[in-house]
Amino acid sequence: MPYDCIVCVKQVPDTANVTASAMNEDGTVNRAALPAIFNPEDLHALEAALEVRDRYGGTVTAISMGPPKAAEVLRDCLYRGADRVILLTDRRAAASDTLATSYILSQAIRTLGRYDLVFCGRQAIDGDTAQVGPQCAEKLGIPQITYMEQMGELREGIVRVRRNIGHGWEVVECPLPVLITVIPAANQPRPPAAKRVMRYKRARAAAELAAQVKAEMPEAPEDLIAAEVQRRVEALRAEGLLIEQWDLDRIGADLSRCGMAGSPTKVFRIQSIVLKREGHVQVPPTEDGIRQLVRELVVDRILG
Amino acid sequence: MEPNREGEVWVLAEQEDGSLHDVALELCGKARQLADQLNVKVGAVLAGHRVRHLVDRLIAHGADRVYLVDDERLAHYQTGSYARVMCTLVEQHRPQIVMYGATPLGRDLAPRVASYLRAGMTADCTDLQISDVTEARTGKVHKNLLLQIRPAFGGNIIATIVNYDQWPQMATVREGVMPMLPADHSRKGTVVEAQVALTAADMPLRLMERHLEPRKVNLKGARVIVAGGGGIGSKENFRLLYELAGAIGGAVGASRAAVDSGYIGKEYQIGQTGTTVRPALYIAVGISGAVQHRAGMEESAKIIAINTDPQAPIFSIAHYGIVGDYKKVIPMMLRALKERK
Ligand SMILES: Cc1cc2nc3c(=O)[nH]c(=O)nc-3n(C[C@H](O)[C@H](O)[C@H](O)COP(=O)(O)OP(=O)(O)OC[C@H]3O[C@@H](n4cnc5c(N)ncnc54)[C@H](O)[C@@H]3O)c2cc1C
């Protein structure tokens, strides 16, 4: 029996080497200042969906919410095997917290209609909140299974999953549809397939084409730009290389639940981590130095 | 929900098979402090089956009221049933703050509840404070808001999050960061027997099998920790650290570089994505002192750093610094300790 899977993927700044200079005054992140990557755990979510399709048939649709540049991770999804990708982009969605984000994603999933499984990475490395998956499931009114570490059988509309619970694991069964968040132990993401890279490397979303055209003809009048964008959109569509792009109207979103307005949490203050500069006692690496240190620790009752 | 300034400060009393998770007691202590500032009561939500015996401990650690939901269908945690319990009780009693441990369970449950209530939710807080806040956009002063403080962006920044007007203010709190208050058995509190209507739709999951590993590593409880990093160089070399830990009655911990290199298991990792510890003495051996590591240990009472690189950032938070090769320094320490006996 075939299953239709949806995967939520996010493009994230590579947080491994961030400095405070990558932050805007208002505490939001200046993503442009950092290299953008495919959120690592979302690759595992994609792989989980692809494995379901390989085994049982069906479809894999990847959705990403973000600026036009987020289409990069959607191309990566196409390279790795996704059947359909959708870029969810809208300025009015900017500054959404996890609650607003999950609302928007759930509206997009509803717009897609039929589905059996939704996969998300457990968390994104820019926020590490792990909230969007569960919140999205709640908004869809479907069960959630978090921290999947092994996918089990799918049988007669019931999925079996082994989930990590920190100090062990449990195996649960749940009727479909269900939302599952995935941890890296679950699988080994497949690399992009060379053939698919050749086929999809020119795939673009309309917003990307618009940015391209503007960059190429900065002096041109608006209507000329619009016409050129339209021409390129149609050309790509004819080749089957146009990445679907949705905005908040397309998914029937209530604007009061999106963006800043729909976000109950507000960033009040951001501090970059500063090293304390208190001096420390230099202990020479000699028998005498160390003996002295041990004595001091005993006197201070730190060593008993 | 509208802010309810008379609302209590709540804690989810996480338990498993009838035993309380440490973080529940840590949170009771923090809730006590916040509630005293706000002049309100502390409530603990205790859901499960045959868990009544845990009530006294919650009260001894700071709870004024324990909302007890005892139902055999709550014997094993699942998101739907526990979310139903929390949402029902929050709607009935309208607490102003709800805290959960940032455990796998807390991080599964809290966002589901927040989504239902359409409340704000901050994950993985390392500190919580009460303060008046002026809203930058409107200039409005909000009295006594909960400041939800957490590392963000891979640990490179500390963000303070607030919820102005969509309450309750909810947060998950990292394990081990709030000190557990000593139990005070003379404290008095009350039990509120709560009834929550559960339906089959709240329990879609069927538990087929469960496997719990004993919590072998008790880093949080250790008075002394000897932690090794990438500089240790091999699994075999970690033996020296075990010897040192053995000689001073401490536990062994590690940085992520040591874990990733396979020198030691993941459960020993200290830092942002590992355990947070605050021992009396922390000996960092061959650890550079990246922010993500420091986030999990800089509250230690005394820190000794052993590193060949005098520029290593770990020295900037150390109380004692030894610039040198640990392979020479640790044997010296072992000898000095032996001499003492
Ligand atoms: C999102 C995120 C989360 C993270 N979470 C954590 C976390 O929870 N915990 C954590 O620890 N890290 C975490 N990290 C990784 C962190 O950034 C560092 O990479 C890691 O802490 C480095 O470990 P290290 O200092 O042991 O290793 P290295 O950086 O390899 O440093 C080794 C040190 O050993 C010294 N040394 C070498 N040989 C000797 C010798 N013979 N004697 C004495 N000293 C010697 C070197 O001078 C050097 O300072 C995280 C990173 C990210 C991006």
Side-chain angles (χ1 to χ4, degrees):
Chain A
M1 185 181 148
Y3 296 96
D4 291 321
C5 300
I6 296 173
V7 190
C8 300
V9 297
K10 185 179 186 187
Q11 189 179 46
V12 291
D14 191 351
T15 52
N17 300 297
V18 190
T19 58
S21 62
M23 307 299 298
N24 294 323
E25 283 293 308
D26 63 351
T28 51
V29 173
N30 179 10
R31 280 158 203 271
L34 293 166
I37 59 170
F38 201 124
N39 181 51
E41 291 189 341
D42 298 352
L43 279 173
H44 295 275
L46 174 65
E47 178 62 26
L50 292 171
E51 283 173 8
V52 167
R53 189 194 59 192
D54 290 350
R55 201 155 152 205
Y56 304 97
T59 61
V60 173
T61 301
I63 306 181
S64 188
M65 170 177 153
K69 193 172 146 55
E72 289 168 1
V73 295
L74 292 174
R75 268 190 293 284
D76 202 343
C77 290
L78 288 170
Y79 300 161
R80 290 170 202 260
D83 300 294
R84 179 180 177 190
V85 298
I86 295 163
L87 175 68
L88 202 55
T89 192
D90 195 315
R91 284 182 180 283
R92 297 168 294 177
S96 291
D97 72 358
T98 65
L99 191 73
T101 300
S102 60
Y103 170 69
I104 296 169
L105 283 172
S106 68
Q107 283 299 111
I109 292 169
R110 280 178 201 281
T111 305
L112 276 170
R114 234 202 72 78
Y115 61 89
D116 299 298
L117 296 131
V118 181
F119 290 100
C120 301
R122 167 187 48 185
Q123 63 193 32
I125 59 168
D126 50 350
D128 282 341
T129 73
Q131 284 171 198
V132 170
Q135 291 184 326
C136 208
E138 192 281 330
K139 303 239 173 285
L140 291 167
I142 62 174
Q144 71 196 46
I145 303 175
T146 48
Y147 328 128
M148 174 177 101
E149 62 174 26
Q150 199 181 87
M151 182 79 180
E153 289 286 308
L154 266 160
R155 209 168 1 87
E156 288 156 33
I158 291 179
V159 65
R160 179 185 277 238
V161 164
R162 190 165 114 179
R163 66 186 291 264
N164 186 292
I165 49 172
H167 55 295
W169 48 261
E170 61 186 28
V171 176
V172 292
E173 284 193 352
C174 182
L176 304 180
V178 63
L179 183 146
I180 297 176
T181 77
V182 182
I183 63 173
N187 54 43
Q188 189 72 48
R190 69 195 63 188
K195 263 199 187 138
R196 295 185 66 95
V197 174
M198 291 309 288
R199 186 154 139 221
Y200 289 111
K201 66 183 178 198
R202 285 171 42 244
R204 290 290 178 280
E208 289 180 289
L209 294 173
Q212 220 174 56
V213 172
K214 266 182 215 142
E216 285 170 22
M217 3 196 264
E219 309 288 313
E222 286 291 317
D223 56 336
L224 216 80
I225 290 184
E228 176 59 16
V229 172
Q230 197 53 34
R231 196 189 62 76
R232 293 191 192 184
V233 165
E234 292 311 328
L236 274 190
R237 197 196 309 276
E239 289 181 84
L241 292 177
L242 185 67
I243 291 179
E244 268 178 88
Q245 182 179 322
W246 291 1
D247 63 8
L248 295 179
D249 302 322
R250 175 73 175 78
I251 59 174
D254 170 354
L255 294 182
S256 71
R257 296 180 68 181
C258 304
M260 193 73 102
S263 300
T265 58
K266 305 282 189 244
V267 176
F268 167 57
R269 190 162 55 209
I270 291 283
Q271 291 158 282
S272 47
I273 301 232
V274 193
L275 293 184
K276 290 184 213 155
R277 288 192 203 285
E278 293 158 16
H280 62 269
V281 180
Q282 280 272 5
V283 180
T286 60
E287 300 279 353
D288 274 347
I290 303 288
R291 206 175 289 133
Q292 183 57 32
L293 169 65
V294 168
R295 213 171 288 146
E296 237 174 89
L297 292 173
V298 172
V299 171
D300 287 350
R301 296 185 181 278
I302 292 169
L303 288 184
Chain B
M1 282 187 206
E2 291 283 301
N4 171 20
R5 298 188 175 275
E6 276 75 58
E8 296 175 347
V9 177
W10 276 18
V11 167
L12 172 78
E14 180 174 342
Q15 59 83 26
E16 184 173 40
D17 299 335
S19 76
L20 274 178
H21 199 297
D22 277 355
V23 76
L25 300 175
E26 294 163 14
L27 290 182
C28 281
K30 185 68 193 177
R32 182 74 266 148
Q33 186 203 337
L34 298 176
D36 286 343
Q37 265 176 282
L38 294 165
N39 209 5
V40 297
K41 291 197 157 35
V42 171
V45 177
L46 177 59
H49 184 44
R50 303 211 174 100
V51 289
R52 181 179 289 275
H53 62 285
L54 302 175
V55 165
D56 291 343
R57 277 187 84 200
L58 292 167
I59 292 172
H61 280 87
D64 298 306
R65 271 198 197 122
V66 178
Y67 296 87
L68 177 66
V69 190
D70 204 303
D71 188 317
E72 65 181 351
R73 292 169 299 176
L74 296 171
H76 292 295
Y77 171 79
Q78 70 166 282
T79 321
S81 55
Y82 274 62
R84 173 67 63 210
V85 168
M86 286 308 288
C87 293
T88 306
L89 294 179
V90 167
E91 285 186 326
Q92 264 170 23
H93 300 276
R94 304 185 57 218
Q96 57 179 302
I97 294 172
V98 184
M99 302 190 276
Y100 308 76
T103 58
L105 185 155
R107 300 182 86 211
D108 177 81
L109 175 64
R112 183 102 189 176
V113 174
S115 175
Y116 175 85
L117 298 168
R118 297 197 197 171
M121 166 76 217
T122 302
D124 269 351
C125 293
T126 50
D127 197 8
L128 296 169
Q129 294 166 10
I130 302 291
S131 168
D132 294 349
V133 172
T134 310
E135 192 172 351
R137 204 169 46 84
T138 59
K140 189 174 164 199
V141 180
H142 299 261
K143 287 255 165 246
N144 286 338
L145 283 194
L146 181 69
L147 303 187
Q148 301 148 47
I149 300 164
R150 71 178 302 247
F153 232 60
N156 293 280
I157 58 164
I158 300 286
T160 302
I161 313 287
V162 293
N163 318 351
Y164 292 119
D165 41 28
Q166 269 161 288
W167 283 20
Q169 307 165 90
M170 302 219 293
T172 61
V173 179
R174 295 269 301 269
E175 295 172 63
V177 299
M178 305 296 174
M180 198 190 293
L181 296 184
D184 172 359
H185 294 285
S186 67
R187 288 201 66 220
K188 292 273 175 290
T190 52
V191 180
V192 180
E193 312 260 355
Q195 297 296 329
V196 174
L198 294 171
T199 68
D202 297 324
M203 289 164 281
L205 265 56
R206 248 179 80 197
L207 179 65
M208 309 305 288
E209 199 184 337
R210 197 155 72 120
H211 173 81
L212 298 185
E213 278 134 31
R215 296 179 198 262
K216 299 188 286 273
V217 192
N218 185 12
L219 282 174
K220 277 201 296 166
R223 232 180 73 79
V224 178
I225 293 175
V226 182
I232 301 304
S234 74
K235 197 170 175 158
E236 292 67 47
N237 289 351
F238 247 85
R239 280 190 56 132
L240 259 184
L241 305 200
Y242 280 103
E243 273 182 50
L244 179 58
I248 53 184
V252 170
S255 74
R256 181 152 122 186
V259 171
D260 287 351
S261 307
Y263 304 161
I264 192 164
K266 169 99 181 113
E267 64 276 23
Y268 292 86
Q269 184 174 316
I270 291 164
Q272 188 195 329
T273 41
T275 310
T276 304
V277 296
R278 45 165 72 201
L281 177 64
Y282 190 91
I283 309 182
V285 189
I287 291 178
S288 61
V291 284
Q292 295 89 352
H293 185 75
R294 295 202 309 266
M297 49 65 74
E298 62 193 340
E299 296 281 298
S300 305
K302 280 274 183 294
I303 298 169
I304 300 179
I306 306 173
N307 200 305
T308 41
D309 174 8
Q311 302 302 327
I314 190 75
F315 286 122
S316 65
I317 57 160
H319 302 89
Y320 299 97
I322 308 174
V323 177
D325 183 344
Y326 79 91
K327 286 187 211 130
K328 299 209 180 75
V329 174
I330 291 187
M332 288 182 201
M333 292 177 96
L334 288 169
R335 280 194 290 275
L337 285 162
K338 217 187 230 147
E339 276 172 24
R340 225 169 32 81
K341 289 192 177 138

